[in-house]
Amino acid sequence: SNVTVSVFILDRNDNSPQILSPSQEAKGSALFEMVPRSAEAGYLVTKVVAVDADSGHNAWLSYHIIQATEPGFFTVGSHTGEIRTGRVFVEKDAAKQKLVILVKDNGQPSLSATVTLNLVFAENFQEALPEMKSQSSSSDYQSDLQFYLVL
């Protein structure tokens, strides 16, 4: 006698993206990156590098800015993770900028990870040092980020 056995293999999205670079401190934020005040629009500031242990479509990653000190000042390549200046630095801009980058995969449901980037506009390290020392603690920071649970 013959028996037919059907095996269905489902590719579950069971791994969230892991951020490799920039390296993160224990609190989930990266160390400071220095950006020249003279940087033109489109200047490559840094690159967020992440991997996903899933395979196929579930491992496709996209990068998004979800919080910024000054929205529109920076752009992120949705598939490359490259952080670039969106315009030139002007004197009224804050020298210290904070970006929160969301990396999400293409699975259903989508899984994600975030990294906080601390950027300082300065021409040299001596100019940037006071800005880095005056970093506010996370308890003083009020987030405008809102989370919604959609069922």
Side-chain angles (χ1 to χ4, degrees), residues 38-44 73 84-89:
S38 58
E40 296 291 326
Y43 175 84
L44 178 61
F73 202 164
R84 295 183 178 271
T85 54
R87 61 176 174 79
V88 296
F89 180 85

Side-chain angles (χ1 to χ4, degrees), residues 1 5 11 22 24 29-30 35 40 45 56 65 77 81 88 100-101 105 107 109 111 113 115 117 136 138 147:
S1 89
V5 176
D11 185 12
Q24 301 176 51
S29 66
V35 182
E40 296 291 326
V45 175
I65 296 175
V88 296
V100 179
I101 306 297
D105 63 20
L111 300 175
V115 63
L117 303 174
S136 61
S138 59
F147 292 97

Side-chain angles (χ1 to χ4, degrees), residues 15 22-23 84 117 123 129 140 150-151:
N15 294 293
S23 60
R84 295 183 178 271
L117 303 174
E123 290 302 328
L129 193 57
D140 295 340
V150 179
L151 300 174

Side-chain angles (χ1 to χ4, degrees), residues 5-102:
V5 176
S6 298
V7 177
F8 296 99
I9 300 173
L10 300 176
D11 185 12
R12 291 188 46 189
N13 186 30
D14 52 353
N15 294 293
S16 61
Q18 299 297 312
I19 296 173
L20 303 178
S21 176
S23 60
Q24 301 176 51
E25 293 181 283
K27 293 179 256 175
S29 66
L31 302 174
F32 281 92
E33 295 274 347
M34 196 169 76
V35 182
R37 287 183 187 269
S38 58
E40 296 291 326
Y43 175 84
L44 178 61
V45 175
T46 190
K47 182 175 180 172
V48 176
V49 178
V51 294
D52 193 308
D54 290 315
S55 61
H57 293 299
N58 290 342
W60 292 359
L61 300 177
S62 61
Y63 301 82
H64 310 272
I65 296 175
I66 59 171
Q67 188 176 12
T69 303
E70 293 186 36
F73 202 164
F74 297 96
T75 62
V76 62
S78 60
H79 300 292
T80 63
E82 292 181 344
I83 308 295
R84 295 183 178 271
T85 54
R87 61 176 174 79
V88 296
F89 180 85
V90 293
E91 288 304 315
K92 70 175 184 74
D93 292 326
K96 188 168 41 174
Q97 300 284 324
K98 182 181 256 185
L99 287 177
V100 179
I101 306 297
L102 173 78

